[in-house]
């Protein structure tokens, strides 16, 4: 399977999501290249073109606040209740947008003004959630879905390839600062394998520390940046979910 093309606009979809129902995507990232603070080997958009922790350094490539709001109003106009979620996602890590916090506030205001019942969600890689302004914004989103794929630094370097000073430890500290969120975890096999008993047990230990609202686990459904990865079969995903539920008491959904 090939990786998918980058989103070419601010608004995309609606997407019929296994997790979010009818989801209207909001891409706050550049449309000509992938920008992220991680370089995950399984990413459906391929390898990261521009790795950074500081979106402000690339402000000229991001859509403006006004462009985001106009695009959202156009999508919702006349159909405010056609969507289950308005989801911040797209070509990389959405919280890298220099005006992310302001955009979250204005999207919530716009949704209320148009009387849309859609909830807000975000798919985030968790690398920025320790920053006060990002944490404040994430706490206003109805469903923050935060990445945690592994339970130790060695696996983090092999799976997620964070740029210094991003580490699993720094991500854990950021997640602990949030009020409520759901953990999202990708399991893969092949040249990198985080589905072994050892890796799963170390991941569960981190869940015990975090105590999120819930957990969502899944495997490859599209192409991946690395062509040496394989999908984890549903039987193994269900085993992982059952073990995690027994040890943590959390609800673990398999997708």
């Amino acid at each position: 399977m090939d990786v998918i093309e980058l989103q070419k606009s601010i608004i995309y979809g609606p997407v019929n999501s296994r997790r979010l129902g009818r989801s209207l995507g909001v891409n706050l990232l550049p449309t000509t290249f992938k920008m992220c603070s991680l370089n995950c080997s399984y990413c459906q958009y391929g390898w990261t073109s521009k790795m950074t922790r500081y979106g402000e350094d690339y402000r000229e490539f991001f859509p403006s606040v006004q462009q985001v709001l106009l695009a959202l109003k156009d999508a919702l106009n006349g159909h405010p209740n056609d969507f289950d979620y308005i989801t911040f996602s797209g070509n990389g890590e959405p919280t890298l947008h220099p005006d992310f916090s302001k955009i979250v506030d204005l999207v919530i205001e716009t949704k209320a003004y148009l009387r849309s019942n859609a909830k807000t969600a975000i798919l985030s890689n968790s690398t920025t959630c320790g920053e006060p302004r990002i944490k404040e914004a994430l706490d206003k989103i109805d469903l923050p879905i935060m990445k945690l794929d592994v339970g130790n630094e060695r696996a983090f370097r092999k799976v997620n390839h964070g740029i210094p000073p991003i580490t699993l430890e720094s991500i854990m500290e950021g997640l602990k600062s949030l009020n409520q969120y759901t953990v999202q975890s990708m399991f893969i096999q092949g040249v990198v394998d985080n589905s072994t008993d050892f890796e799963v047990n170390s991941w569960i230990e981190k869940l015990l520390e975090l105590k999120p609202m819930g957990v969502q686990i899944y495997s490859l459904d599209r192409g991946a940046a690395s062509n040496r990865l394989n999908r984890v079969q549903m039987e193994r995903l269900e085993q992982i979910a059952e073990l995690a539920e027994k040890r943590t008491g959390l609800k673990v959904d398999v997708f």
Side-chain angles (χ1 to χ4, degrees), residues 125-196:
N125 67 16
S126 307
T127 58
T128 63
C129 59
E131 299 175 22
R133 64 183 180 85
I134 302 298
K135 172 194 166 353
E136 183 179 355
L138 290 173
D139 284 339
K140 296 175 183 178
I141 292 174
D142 296 309
L143 183 58
I145 301 177
M146 313 300 292
K147 179 189 296 295
L148 183 74
D149 297 321
V150 297
N152 59 80
E153 293 289 351
R154 180 174 178 273
F156 178 73
R157 290 193 297 270
K158 294 176 68 175
V159 174
N160 303 115
H161 307 288
I163 59 173
I166 296 172
T167 62
L168 179 61
E169 181 180 1
S170 69
I171 287 174
M172 288 288 293
E173 290 306 309
L175 288 173
K176 289 175 182 177
S177 74
L178 297 181
N179 290 332
Q180 289 189 322
Y181 59 94
T182 293
V183 161
Q184 176 196 72
S185 304
M186 165 72 84
F187 286 95
I188 50 178
Q189 294 176 336
V191 66
V192 176
D193 189 343
N194 65 338
S195 69
T196 65

Side-chain angles (χ1 to χ4, degrees), residues 10-212:
I10 298 170
I11 299 295
Y12 63 98
V15 176
N16 292 318
S17 168
R18 293 174 292 174
R19 291 168 291 172
L20 299 172
R22 191 168 168 83
S23 171
L24 186 68
V26 181
N27 172 41
L28 300 182
L29 282 301
T31 57
T32 56
F33 59 91
K34 178 187 166 192
M35 179 183 290
C36 198
S37 47
L38 296 180
N39 197 15
C40 298
S41 55
Y42 60 74
C43 184
Q44 64 182 358
Y45 289 112
W47 297 113
T48 302
S49 302
K50 179 59 66 177
M51 288 188 69
T52 184
R53 292 178 65 244
Y54 305 107
E56 183 67 49
D57 294 343
Y58 303 93
R59 178 177 283 274
E60 63 187 288
F61 297 104
F62 289 92
S64 69
V65 173
Q66 187 67 14
Q67 286 174 321
V68 173
L69 290 182
L70 287 175
L72 180 63
K73 287 178 181 178
D74 284 345
L76 292 179
N77 190 29
H79 308 279
N81 294 308
D82 280 3
F83 315 105
D84 298 303
Y85 280 93
I86 297 169
T87 307
F88 298 102
S89 185
N91 301 335
E93 172 53 35
T95 62
L96 291 177
H97 193 294
D99 297 313
F100 175 74
S101 301
K102 183 177 182 179
I103 288 172
V104 169
D105 286 339
L106 292 175
V107 166
I108 292 172
E109 291 176 14
T110 299
K111 186 170 69 72
Y113 176 76
L114 295 176
R115 299 184 179 181
S116 171
N117 294 327
K119 295 181 179 181
T120 52
I122 185 171
L123 303 179
S124 172
N125 67 16
S126 307
T127 58
T128 63
C129 59
E131 299 175 22
R133 64 183 180 85
I134 302 298
K135 172 194 166 353
E136 183 179 355
L138 290 173
D139 284 339
K140 296 175 183 178
I141 292 174
D142 296 309
L143 183 58
I145 301 177
M146 313 300 292
K147 179 189 296 295
L148 183 74
D149 297 321
V150 297
N152 59 80
E153 293 289 351
R154 180 174 178 273
F156 178 73
R157 290 193 297 270
K158 294 176 68 175
V159 174
N160 303 115
H161 307 288
I163 59 173
I166 296 172
T167 62
L168 179 61
E169 181 180 1
S170 69
I171 287 174
M172 288 288 293
E173 290 306 309
L175 288 173
K176 289 175 182 177
S177 74
L178 297 181
N179 290 332
Q180 289 189 322
Y181 59 94
T182 293
V183 161
Q184 176 196 72
S185 304
M186 165 72 84
F187 286 95
I188 50 178
Q189 294 176 336
V191 66
V192 176
D193 189 343
N194 65 338
S195 69
T196 65
D197 289 345
F198 172 80
E199 297 295 350
V200 168
N201 284 327
S202 65
W203 169 75
I204 290 174
E205 290 298 322
K206 292 298 186 286
L207 294 181
L208 286 167
E209 286 186 48
L210 294 174
K211 300 178 178 63

